[in-house]
Amino acid sequence: MWTLLNHATPYLREGHSATTGAYIVITKNQIDLPEETPAAMELNLEAALPPVALSPASVLDGVRTVFGLNISETAEVFGITRQTAYQWMKLTDMEQVRAHENRDRLKQLYGAAQLWQNLPSLKGRWLYALLPAGNTMLDLLKAPQIDHEVLQTAYQVLVASTADRRREEGERATQAATALTGAFAGLGAGRKARKGIS
């Protein structure tokens, strides 16, 4: 970089290749770039990045983490049994998943998880919250084809209903605690009655 910034050095046009295969050309003292830059000069960062090696185990783990799924729910959304889900958690290569449709499902859910993880976290039991269509987020994840636009719409609905959902969950928790308190009080009274204590 010093040679490019130092006016005493002669004009140089150098290119350097990175491990990603991207080629960057830095030009010193260039003025008046044309308004329409040729497509060859545009840098596509996504194309320049090396492909990420995914394994069935990493996809399952990522999907479970992003959507907060337990093992049974994970098996449901992938359309496999719990036993198969446990087996996939040990696999290191996509080619180890024999069925083509299962590999496609892994890719679909990986894409959904990538989309979802870039959104701010939701609070409460949003996975089972009813959406306007009468289904839940879990239902959307179990659909044969996952629609990213539908997921984004569901996210917006869930964000809008977060306060109501948390209030309802708080009310249910209070009711459950009250019921337990009453049940324990009844047990204590019954024990005293059996022992003849008034």
Side-chain angles (χ1 to χ4, degrees):
M1 287 301 290
W2 173 250
T3 58
L4 294 173
L5 298 173
N6 186 349
H7 292 286
T9 58
Y11 175 84
L12 293 174
R13 185 176 174 135
E14 297 178 2
H16 298 282
S17 177
T19 56
T20 59
Y23 189 81
I24 301 173
V25 176
I26 301 174
T27 306
K28 180 181 171 185
N29 299 334
Q30 183 166 346
I31 303 170
D32 296 332
L33 282 174
E35 287 184 26
E36 293 182 5
T37 306
M41 291 185 69
E42 293 178 6
L43 179 61
N44 183 344
L45 292 177
E46 288 184 26
L49 294 174
V52 179
L54 294 174
S55 67
S58 65
V59 172
L60 253 69
D61 185 54
V63 169
R64 286 185 70 193
T65 301
V66 168
F67 293 110
L69 305 174
N70 62 32
I71 193 66
S72 296
E73 294 161 343
T74 302
E76 282 183 58
V77 300
F78 280 96
I80 56 177
T81 64
R82 282 171 48 99
Q83 182 180 2
T84 302
Y86 282 119
Q87 290 171 349
W88 282 11
M89 291 170 138
K90 299 173 187 172
L91 301 180
T92 57
D93 189 338
M94 283 294 182
E95 296 305 315
Q96 292 173 304
V97 176
R98 294 187 190 113
H100 180 70
E101 56 272 9
N102 285 344
R103 288 196 298 271
D104 285 346
R105 189 68 183 163
L106 282 161
K107 290 175 190 172
Q108 272 193 53
L109 284 162
Y110 176 75
Q114 291 296 302
L115 167 76
W116 202 264
Q117 79 174 1
N118 292 325
L119 301 171
S121 297
L122 293 170
K123 305 294 183 202
R125 289 180 49 82
W126 53 267
L127 192 64
Y128 289 95
L130 276 179
L131 298 167
N135 54 2
T136 65
M137 190 62 206
L138 186 63
D139 295 329
L140 296 180
L141 293 174
K142 293 191 302 188
Q145 290 296 319
I146 296 176
D147 186 331
H148 288 205
E149 286 183 25
V150 171
L151 287 186
Q152 287 183 319
T153 301
Y155 175 83
Q156 296 303 326
V157 168
L158 292 169
V159 166
S161 65
T162 294
D164 292 339
R165 190 170 57 254
R166 293 189 79 182
R167 182 181 41 76
E168 289 169 7
E169 289 171 4
E171 288 171 2
R172 283 196 299 270
T174 302
Q175 290 169 355
T178 304
L180 279 174
T181 302
F184 284 127
L187 286 174
R191 180 176 286 164
K192 287 180 182 179
R194 285 192 300 276
K195 291 185 175 182
I197 302 171
S198 55

